Amino acid sequence: DIQMTQSPSSLSASIGDRVTITCRASQDIIDYLAWFQLKPGKAPKSLIYAASSLHSGVPSKFSGSGSGTDFTLTISNLQPEDYATYYCQQYKTLPFTFGPGTKVDV
Amino acid sequence: EVQLLASGGGLVQPGGSLRLSCAASGFTFENFAMSWVRQGPGGGLEWVSMISGDGHTTYYADSVRGRFTVSRDNSGNTMYLYLQMSSLRVEDTALYYCAKPYASGTYYSFDHWGQGTLVTVSS
C-alpha cells in the first residue's frame, strides 16, 4: 500500500495568515492527489483533485501543487471558517490511502 | 444537486452485523463507482470499499475483506449504495461515509460525501 504522511500534524495560525501543509507519498503517484477539509459534525468537503485542480465552488484561496511524491496545500487569507482538519489522499492505486491529517486552529 | 444520505448505523456487539445504506440522488448514479470511507475515533480516514457503476466489480480494504460486502441498487426512483457488515470488531467503530467520485471510472477521488452514519461496536 502507498503510505501518506503529512506535516505538520497541527498548526496554529491567525486570521489573515497564509498556511502551507505538506503531504508526501511513499511512492510516485504522479498527480493522483486530493485534499479534503473535515469539520466535526459535517460532511467532508472536497477541495482539490489532481494535485492542483479546485473542485467546483471551492474558493481560490485554496491552492495545491506538487507531483510525484511531494505535494502542498496552501490556504491564503485564513478565515474563521477555514479552521478545520485537512487530509490528503492518493488515488493512483487501490487501496486509496489518506494522510493522518493536519489540524489548523487558532 | 448531488445528495448522499447515509443511514443504518448504530450500536452492535462484537461479532454482530449491520447494514448501512446510502441514498443517492442528483446525478446519474449508474455511471459512477461509489465508495465507503470511514473515520475512526482517532480522526483518521480509511477507504473501506468501492463498487463499480454496474455493480459487477467490488474492491475492499484488507481490514474488511471477507467480512464486509458492498452492493448497489441502480433501479427505482431512488438509488442506493449498501454496505453489509458482518463479524464486526471493536476496531470497526467509526463514522462511515459514502462518497461519489468526481468522474466516471475507478481511479478518481471524491467530490461529494454523505453526512456519515456512526457505527459503534461494543459489548
Side-chain angles (χ1 to χ4, degrees), chain A residues 34 36 43-44 46 87 89 91 94, chain B residues 39 43 59 97 102 109-110 113-114:
Chain A
F36 304 98
S46 300
Y87 295 84
Q89 179 224 0
Y91 53 99
L94 286 168
Chain B
Q39 183 178 24
Y59 310 86
Y97 298 103
Y102 67 85
S109 188
F110 314 118
W113 301 66

Side-chain angles (χ1 to χ4, degrees), chain B residues 9-116:
Chain B
L11 174 63
V12 61
Q13 292 187 338
S17 298
L18 210 57
R19 188 198 200 199
L20 306 184
S21 300
C22 175
S25 61
F27 63 102
T28 307
F29 186 64
E30 61 266 29
N31 286 357
F32 293 87
M34 296 292 294
S35 284
W36 289 97
V37 176
R38 65 186 181 185
Q39 183 178 24
L45 291 170
E46 181 186 18
W47 171 84
V48 172
S49 181
M50 179 167 61
I51 184 168
S52 61
D54 61 9
H56 292 165
T57 307
T58 57
Y59 310 86
Y60 298 95
D62 287 345
S63 58
V64 306
R65 185 175 292 112
R67 301 186 298 119
F68 289 11
T69 302
V70 63
S71 61
R72 64 191 295 160
D73 181 356
N74 289 351
S75 63
N77 293 327
T78 301
M79 313 300 179
Y80 286 96
L81 173 71
Y82 301 106
L83 187 67
Q84 178 68 47
M85 304 185 295
S86 304
S87 302
L88 281 162
R89 305 167 180 169
V90 171
E91 54 265 35
D92 294 319
T93 295
L95 188 59
Y96 284 74
Y97 298 103
C98 50
K100 168 193 168 292
Y102 67 85
S104 303
T106 302
Y107 295 96
Y108 291 97
S109 188
F110 314 118
D111 63 354
H112 288 88
W113 301 66
Q115 86 289 359

Side-chain angles (χ1 to χ4, degrees), chain A residues 2-84:
Chain A
I2 298 176
Q3 309 302 316
M4 306 299 292
T5 58
Q6 286 182 235
S7 61
S9 57
S10 66
L11 65 89
S12 296
S14 301
I15 300 298
D17 281 356
R18 172 175 167 158
V19 302
T20 298
I21 300 168
T22 298
C23 174
R24 177 164 289 175
S26 61
Q27 57 186 267
D28 185 358
I29 59 170
I30 310 177
D31 67 348
Y32 287 74
L33 192 284
W35 290 96
F36 304 98
Q37 176 193 70
L38 271 75
K39 297 180 180 179
K42 302 190 75 174
K45 180 178 181 179
S46 300
L47 300 175
I48 288 172
Y49 65 97
S52 60
S53 297
L54 264 61
H55 280 291
S56 175
V58 175
S60 58
K61 63 186 302 180
F62 293 95
S63 63
S65 65
S67 66
T69 60
D70 294 310
F71 303 87
T72 60
L73 171 70
T74 300
I75 311 170
S76 302
N77 188 23
L78 199 70
Q79 294 299 305
E81 60 269 23
D82 302 326
Y83 290 101

